[in-house]
Amino acid sequence: DGKECDYLYYRGIELHKSSELKITKEFLNEILHYVLWTEDFIDTKELEKIVMKYKKRILNKDVEASEITIVKRIGKMPSEYKKLPEHVRLADEISKKGEYFYVGQKVPHIVISNDPLKVIHKREFVGEYDVKYYWERQVFPPIYRVLKTVFPDYRWEKFEEGSREMQQTL
């Protein structure tokens, strides 16, 4: 609005979405702050260090449940779906155990396997999750879009693969 400010006002990116992972928001915030507030030359090596810091956290399972919890809303009754989404299937299973279930409910869940897709409720988390799924589908893509926009000629794709072997080759 033409006024001076010392904070970022986000619109239309993952930092603004309530459904985005906490760790993705933290990561994106750190990247944007570095890019926008670095007074001198922006060093891609420093950005690489930030990317690797988060990649190592994901691949080494050095995260808390709250950082990787996906929260999705149930849009309709399970019988109304042609193919039951995993978060709805999870809520339906929980309701069969006696817990309350309703349309509009938000289901906090964690992906423990992506082949086939298998999720657990956040409160069942014991440290295991699909690292490849989280890095390649949840955490890195929004960061990649920002980095590729700011540095289009740099090869950010080298960080894309979410396997331990790839981490070691970097």
Side-chain angles (χ1 to χ4, degrees), residues 145-156:
R145 287 190 293 275
V146 169
L147 292 173
K148 198 64 175 171
T149 300
V150 177
F151 299 98
D153 297 329
Y154 196 82
R155 214 175 69 70
W156 297 106

Side-chain angles (χ1 to χ4, degrees), residues 53-69:
K53 175 176 82 171
Y54 283 91
K55 185 168 188 173
K56 285 178 182 177
R57 284 190 62 207
I58 293 290
L59 298 185
N60 292 332
K61 298 184 179 180
D62 186 23
V63 295
E64 296 176 13
S66 63
E67 294 179 293
I68 59 168
T69 298

Side-chain angles (χ1 to χ4, degrees), residues 44 52 54 56 64 79 96 101 110 116 121 128 156 162:
T44 53
M52 283 306 296
Y54 283 91
K56 285 178 182 177
E64 296 176 13
S79 59
K96 289 176 182 169
F101 167 84
I110 295 173
H121 195 279
E128 288 301 315
W156 297 106

Side-chain angles (χ1 to χ4, degrees), residues 59-108:
L59 298 185
N60 292 332
K61 298 184 179 180
D62 186 23
V63 295
E64 296 176 13
S66 63
E67 294 179 293
I68 59 168
T69 298
I70 300 168
V71 180
K72 288 193 177 179
R73 185 180 308 272
I74 297 172
K76 49 191 172 183
M77 292 301 292
S79 59
E80 297 175 33
Y81 286 94
K82 290 180 182 175
K83 184 175 186 285
L84 211 57
E86 282 301 303
H87 70 289
V88 177
R89 184 196 54 73
L90 178 62
D92 192 37
E93 285 176 11
I94 291 170
S95 73
K96 289 176 182 169
K97 295 176 183 174
E99 287 189 40
Y100 190 64
F101 167 84
Y102 59 93
V103 173
Q105 177 179 2
K106 292 182 179 181
V107 181

